[in-house]
Amino acid sequence: MAMRLPRSRRWAATAIAVLAALLVVDLATGPDVFVIALYGIAPLVASFGTGLRTTAIVAVAALAIAQISSTAFDEMDTTNGAVFVFTVAVLGVLACGTAVARIRREASAARAGLLAEAGELLTTAADPGAKLAAVAAAAVPAVADRCTIDLVAPGGAPRRVGEVPPAVEQALARVSGGSAPEASRSELVMPLAARDVRFGALELGLDGSSRRFGAEDRALAEELARRCSAALDTARLVEEARNAESELHAAYGMLDAIFERAPVGLAVHDRSLRYVRINDHMAEINGLPAQEHIGRAVAEVVPEVETVEADMRRVLESGEPLTELEVAGTTAAAPGVGREWIVSYWPVRRRDDRRVVGVGAVVFEVTERRAAERAVREQTARYESLLLALSQVGEAMVVLDGDGALEYANPAFEAICGYSTTELQALPSVFDLIVEEQREGARRRAQLRLEGGRGAGNQITIRHRDGHRIPMEVAGVPLDVGAHRQLVVVARDIAARALAEAERERLLHRAAFLAEASAAFDAVLDEDATLNALARLSVRDLADTCVILLGGSAGAIRRVATVAHDPEDEARLRELVERYPFANRRAHPLLDVLAAGRARLVEHPDGADIPFEDERHRELVAAFDTKYTLLVPLSARGRTLGVMALGFNAKVGAGHLSLFEDVARRGALAIDNARLYEERAQVARTLQRSLLPPVLPHVPGVELAARYLAAGEGNEVGGDFYDCFPTSNGNWALVIGDVCGKGAEAAAVTALARYTVRASATLHSDRPQVVLEDLNAAIRREAGPDSRFCTVLYIALSPRADGVKACVAAGGHPLPLLMRADGRIETAGRPGTLLGILPDPEIHSTEIFLAPGDTLVLYTDGVTEVSPLDDRFGPEILARFVAGCAGSAAPVIARRIEEQVLEIGGGSARDDVAVVVMRVCPGLPTPFVADEPGVAASR
């Protein structure tokens, strides 16, 4: 199907067709029919559907044809031809007028329709962009050949709605830049603006058509732009309202979130100061759940915080907030515990209403912060006191910036260098005080410390203001103050303390020497070892030679120790002292010191000035280049025990004299203590031997063995004892006991027990129970106010042809172990009460029979308590140990028990140990073993 022509072209074609048809009719009829006047019909037809230009063309064409037709026929009257031609012209003019009127009417209708459609589109469409696009589409071709709407983006760049021809760019730029809109016959550009807000521009254009824009079109464009602007402004306002509503909802949500989750206490109160709203943090501060606050007064909830209610009422009355108030008190969250808060109050008002309807509160707990601040203040005060104390004791401190300029100097540094702080700050760098040869090294070390490098203290030398040098020991650490790093340097004057340090070192050396000497003296209680240690210590650290002589007079002097640095010198010195003793020289200074008891320093810078007995004597004296001899008496407890002679090649001062006097006193006291200890130990050993049988007797058919170990140093009498003696009628008594304590008191009770048992056993040999009862009465009678007790095991032995009958009685003592010949272990007897405590002790007698090969083991508690913490040799373990000795002779069993005790005790016994072993000989009778008698087995 052929494309349909536009409406204006169809009317133009019809008008031309009418004109052609009239021309054909005119040519066919000739002059007889005057068709010329009908040519005016063609422009009228064209005016019905074409524009003014087309109608005018058709009218001109009709007029031209009419003119040609009137002149082509000679028969036509000229006047009539002119009338016909004029008629055609008039009809053409009427047609043009009709076309203009029709075009205006149609344009007015189009404009009205466009405005109506635009109004409907702008009010119905939802999206502003869609609205404007629809309006642009409706304007074409109703009022223009093209319509473009350009919107200005929020950033200022244009955003097009609809088709945008390039010709609009400059006009839009002018509108966007604030210039006045432009208008021409073929183009209209109108701004889109409302309430001082520019949205963009609307552009209408005609592309080559005969139409041109007039005042009505400009008014249409202005109205259309105004309506589009109003629509855009309405959309903007709606969007802003929606955004505002969204922001309001978000703000309300955020406010609720802040109120509920804020890390501070928030609360709102009414005018009666009752809680209206409170967050969980405030409830936690007050110590009550949040729901229990609502409707309750502040004074009721926090009665221990006194200022809260008064401050809130001030806000209600004044309408002004109170901020950052310091509040302290206690709440139910921690009763009795003082807490601190920062509180702010503000008046609560309704919108557009100045009346105060309540009070809001914000509470920050600062209890820990305030405690920390107080701690910081206290720490700062301590630091300031420390700085002051450092300055007062001469410790200098300076603070330097990165270039070495002074920031701070304490008074001690000012006193050391001779400059004031003002003068030091005027210097380009404090490093200028350092001597030239050390300056650069000091700068490098300071820079290294500023950069965070490690470094120990070092020594530098500075110049005093008067020019003399001052050696100093310095150390620096970096200090960050804001964005700047400084160097804190602590310094001390080494020269000022040199003498004090030297004196301290001397005193420390003296104290160490004396402590070592005391430790050496305390290590042993032996006279020769003590004096040898004294001599070697003296020569090792101070003297060149040392000779110690003991004796209270010239005739009693004897050499004890001779020490020198070199072994050969020591041998020569020993020969000198032994071959040429001091006792043969009545005028020797050593004898004066021995007699007076005071130390003496003898100087002989040219060598010893003494008569020589022979050439060897001269050689021995010449071997020693001794310039000074220090003679110090060994005095203790008012007696002079001897003299210590010290030889020195260097000068001897008062310090040496006082030191060796102190050492000599300590050595002499140690010697005297050793002598006293040896005397006491000898007395103890003698007394101990008197309390034990010198030898064990021979009991027919029985092997006897005993072992005795005294605990401690051996200078005290032990409390354990044993005995074996005949009673009557061929019977024997075997006794072992343990007296409480040690020393003379214990020895007295031991002697009492031993001899009381012997006396009573003579009368009651077959009644062990009576013997122990007599002993109990004797102890109670003789003990006096210092109550003593003991444990005793008494066994009455009656030898028989087939064995030994034994009657066992125990007075608080461990029961003996009975080992049968086949190795079985039993406990013989029954336990009894300690002796010396009760008037009527509980004692039982038990008879047993010992066959050949059977063994009785008697022991004191020193055996089973050798290791009381872990019970390594308790009664059960001892029984198993004895069972392991089955078949052994009595001396072997006793010795093995002793060895086991010493092994467990680490070579010594914790308490006195006594062991007595009696074994019935398999082949009766057997003589007593003579190589291990009783006392010979003691230690």
Side-chain angles (χ1 to χ4, degrees):
M1 185 174 66
M3 183 178 295
R4 185 176 180 180
L5 294 175
R7 176 174 176 274
S8 60
R9 293 186 179 183
R10 291 200 305 272
W11 281 104
T14 301
I16 292 173
V18 171
L19 184 62
L22 290 175
L23 178 60
V24 171
V25 172
D26 187 25
L27 293 176
T29 57
D32 297 332
V33 179
F34 298 100
V35 184
I36 297 174
L38 298 177
Y39 283 123
I41 297 174
L44 293 174
V45 173
S47 66
F48 293 151
T50 63
L52 175 62
R53 182 178 179 182
T54 303
T55 301
I57 291 172
V58 173
V60 170
L63 182 62
I65 293 173
Q67 182 66 34
I68 294 171
S69 178
S70 63
T71 57
F73 296 103
D74 295 332
E75 296 87 356
M76 181 175 294
D77 185 19
T78 303
T79 302
N80 290 332
V83 171
F84 290 151
V85 172
F86 178 76
T87 301
V88 172
V90 171
L91 291 175
V93 171
L94 291 175
C96 289
T98 301
V100 170
R102 180 186 58 78
I103 290 172
R104 289 182 176 176
R105 185 178 65 255
E106 290 180 354
S108 177
R111 287 193 293 271
L114 176 60
L115 290 176
E117 185 177 0
E120 183 178 357
L121 291 173
L122 292 174
T123 56
T124 56
D127 181 29
K131 293 179 181 181
L132 298 179
V135 170
V140 179
V143 297
D145 295 331
R146 53 186 171 82
C147 179
T148 303
I149 300 176
D150 299 291
L151 300 181
V152 178
R159 179 169 60 89
R160 298 292 170 82
V161 177
E163 182 182 0
V164 183
V168 185
E169 293 290 346
Q170 293 182 351
L172 179 62
R174 288 192 297 272
V175 173
S176 299
S179 300
E182 291 192 358
S184 65
R185 298 297 300 275
S186 61
E187 186 177 82
L188 289 175
V189 179
M190 297 295 167
L192 300 179
R195 286 190 284 203
D196 297 329
V197 178
R198 288 200 300 273
F199 300 106
L202 181 144
E203 185 264 340
L204 298 174
L206 299 173
D207 297 332
S209 67
S210 59
R211 293 187 297 174
R212 294 292 182 267
F213 290 127
E216 295 84 357
D217 297 315
R218 181 179 179 85
L220 172 65
E222 291 177 349
E223 180 63 22
L224 189 61
R226 185 185 64 78
R227 295 192 179 190
C228 288
S229 299
L232 289 173
D233 188 50
T234 301
R236 178 181 65 83
L237 295 176
V238 170
E239 182 67 21
E240 290 180 355
R242 289 176 179 172
N243 292 338
E245 183 178 4
S246 176
E247 292 177 358
L248 183 60
H249 286 300
Y252 277 128
M254 185 179 298
L255 180 60
D256 289 338
I258 291 174
F259 201 89
E260 295 300 329
R261 298 183 177 87
V264 297
L266 296 174
V268 178
H269 309 79
D270 59 16
R271 290 192 61 85
S272 299
L273 300 184
R274 297 183 180 275
Y275 286 93
V276 176
R277 186 172 184 182
I278 183 173
N279 69 348
D280 292 337
H281 195 78
M282 178 71 89
E284 182 180 350
I285 292 174
N286 293 344
L288 290 175
Q291 60 272 16
E292 294 185 16
H293 284 72
I294 306 304
R296 299 179 66 179
V298 173
E300 181 183 353
V301 175
V302 285
E304 300 298 328
V305 186
E306 299 177 353
T307 62
V308 173
E309 185 173 0
D311 292 336
M312 286 187 175
R313 294 199 181 280
R314 286 175 56 192
V315 174
L316 286 174
E317 295 171 359
S318 64
E320 298 295 330
L322 295 176
T323 60
E324 298 185 356
L325 302 178
E326 298 276 351
V327 177
T330 61
T331 67
V337 178
R339 302 164 69 187
E340 299 177 60
W341 302 274
I342 297 293
V343 183
S344 296
Y345 304 107
W346 76 91
V348 177
R349 297 182 176 89
R350 293 190 178 91
R351 184 188 297 271
D352 300 328
D353 190 348
R354 298 301 299 171
R355 290 179 300 172
V356 178
V357 297
V359 178
V362 179
V363 179
F364 298 84
E365 179 148 5
V366 293
T367 304
E368 295 182 359
R369 184 194 305 174
R370 290 294 181 262
E373 289 174 355
R374 287 190 291 270
V376 168
R377 288 194 296 269
E378 293 173 359
Q379 187 72 13
T380 302
R382 285 195 291 268
Y383 286 153
E384 291 176 351
S385 300
L386 176 61
L387 291 176
L388 180 59
L390 285 175
S391 181
Q392 290 178 351
V393 298
E395 296 288 341
M397 189 185 77
V398 296
V399 180
L400 309 178
D401 64 11
D403 298 326
L406 183 77
E407 297 285 345
Y408 168 80
N410 69 346
F413 186 76
E414 294 178 343
I416 291 174
C417 68
Y419 294 92
S420 66
T421 299
T422 304
E423 292 172 331
L424 291 171
Q425 290 176 341
L427 294 175
S429 173
V430 175
F431 292 102
D432 294 342
L433 296 178
I434 303 174
V435 295
E436 292 77 4
E437 60 270 21
Q438 299 179 4
R439 192 172 299 164
E440 290 304 319
R443 287 184 185 273
R444 288 194 301 270
R445 288 190 295 269
Q447 187 62 36
L448 178 64
R449 297 295 288 132
L450 280 172
E451 293 173 357
R454 295 183 178 272
N458 56 86
Q459 293 184 2
I460 62 171
T461 303
I462 68 171
R463 290 190 183 276
H464 191 269
R465 185 170 188 164
D466 59 12
H468 73 274
R469 293 190 170 201
I470 303 174
M472 300 188 69
E473 185 178 53
V474 298
V477 293
L479 173 66
D480 292 324
V481 180
H484 303 285
R485 172 161 285 194
Q486 298 175 338
L487 185 66
V488 179
V489 180
V490 177
R492 58 174 61 95
D493 185 353
I494 300 176
R497 68 174 188 183
L499 294 177
E501 288 187 352
E503 179 64 17
R504 184 186 65 178
E505 290 298 326
R506 187 187 69 80
L507 293 176
L508 288 176
H509 184 270
R510 174 192 175 103
F513 182 80
L514 293 175
E516 186 176 0
S518 298
F521 301 155
D522 294 340
V524 293
L525 286 173
D526 181 83
E527 180 180 302
D528 291 341
T530 300
L531 292 176
N532 187 62
L534 173 59
R536 294 205 173 275
L537 279 174
S538 301
V539 171
R540 187 195 67 185
D541 290 339
L542 298 172
D544 295 301
T545 61
C546 181
V547 177
I548 299 179
L549 304 172
L550 289 185
S553 62
I557 287 179
R558 62 185 179 88
R559 180 194 63 83
V560 175
T562 307
V563 179
H565 282 296
D566 187 81
E568 296 182 359
D569 289 341
E570 186 171 318
R572 285 192 289 268
L573 183 62
R574 185 179 302 110
E575 181 183 356
L576 175 62
V577 174
E578 290 178 352
R579 289 184 60 177
Y580 308 100
F582 297 111
N584 295 336
R585 302 185 189 89
R586 301 298 179 184
H588 198 282
L590 182 145
L591 302 178
D592 296 337
V593 172
L594 189 63
R598 291 192 297 271
R600 179 177 176 183
L601 178 62
V602 179
E603 299 184 19
H604 30 80
D606 299 327
D609 185 14
I610 59 174
F612 301 109
E613 297 183 7
D614 53 29
E615 189 60 30
R616 181 57 180 169
H617 189 192
R618 184 188 300 274
E619 291 176 0
L620 292 175
V621 172
F624 300 97
D625 186 19
T626 302
K627 300 295 189 298
Y628 301 90
T629 300
L630 182 59
L631 302 173
V632 183
L634 298 173
S635 301
R637 297 183 175 94
R639 296 181 298 118
T640 300
L641 306 180
V643 178
M644 181 168 60
L646 301 142
F648 296 88
N649 295 330
K651 184 173 179 59
V652 179
H656 291 80
L657 180 60
S658 63
L659 174 62
F660 281 107
E661 284 181 334
D662 196 349
V663 173
R665 282 193 296 271
R666 298 183 187 211
L669 186 60
I671 294 168
D672 198 46
N673 288 338
R675 291 177 177 178
L676 293 175
Y677 180 83
E678 180 60 28
E679 293 175 1
R680 182 176 179 184
Q682 182 63 30
V683 171
R685 286 192 294 269
T686 302
L687 182 58
Q688 188 74 64
R689 283 194 297 268
S690 69
L691 298 176
L692 297 173
V695 293
L696 288 174
H698 168 63
V699 179
V702 173
E703 290 180 349
L704 281 178
R707 308 296 292 188
Y708 181 86
L709 294 174
E713 299 292 335
N715 59 357
E716 286 188 328
V717 181
D720 290 6
F721 67 94
Y722 62 90
D723 199 0
C724 183
F725 54 90
T727 54
S728 61
N729 301 323
N731 295 327
W732 294 81
L734 185 60
V735 183
I736 190 170
D738 184 359
V739 176
C740 170
K742 282 181 174 292
E745 294 84 357
V749 177
T750 301
L752 174 66
R754 184 180 179 199
Y755 294 110
T756 300
V757 168
R758 277 179 171 262
S760 180
T762 303
L763 301 175
H764 312 288
S765 61
D766 57 345
R767 300 171 65 190
Q769 179 179 352
V770 176
V771 173
L772 295 185
E773 290 174 350
D774 290 344
L775 176 59
N776 180 72
I779 294 175
R780 286 177 53 80
R781 183 173 58 250
E782 299 295 334
D786 296 331
S787 178
R788 291 279 178 173
F789 62 89
C790 68
T791 66
V792 178
L793 177 67
Y794 181 91
I795 303 177
L797 302 175
S798 299
R800 299 286 188 269
D802 56 348
V804 176
K805 174 186 167 185
C807 185
V808 180
H813 199 82
L815 297 179
L817 295 176
L818 171 57
M819 181 172 62
R820 297 296 182 179
D822 58 2
R824 290 181 295 110
I825 299 295
E826 303 173 8
T827 301
R830 296 170 61 188
T833 308
L834 291 171
L835 302 182
I837 302 298
L838 301 176
D840 298 315
E842 183 180 355
I843 300 173
H844 307 279
S845 298
T846 303
E847 291 188 356
I848 59 175
F849 182 77
L850 302 176
D854 291 347
T855 303
L856 269 179
V857 178
L858 290 67
Y859 60 91
T860 59
D861 57 5
V863 175
T864 55
E865 295 179 1
V866 64
S867 182
L869 295 179
D870 51 11
D871 200 24
R872 292 172 60 189
F873 208 46
E876 295 181 359
I877 300 176
L878 174 62
R880 290 197 297 269
F881 183 84
V882 171
C885 300
S888 300
V892 175
I893 296 174
R895 184 173 61 253
R896 290 188 62 185
I897 292 174
E898 178 193 45
E899 292 172 351
Q900 185 69 10
V901 168
L902 291 175
E903 180 180 349
I904 294 174
S908 63
R910 180 176 177 270
D911 193 5
D912 296 338
V913 173
V915 179
V916 178
V917 179
M918 185 196 78
R919 182 172 182 265
V920 179
C921 297
L924 298 175
T926 298
F928 176 71
V929 180
D931 60 350
E932 296 206 25
V935 75
S938 66
R939 295 190 180 182

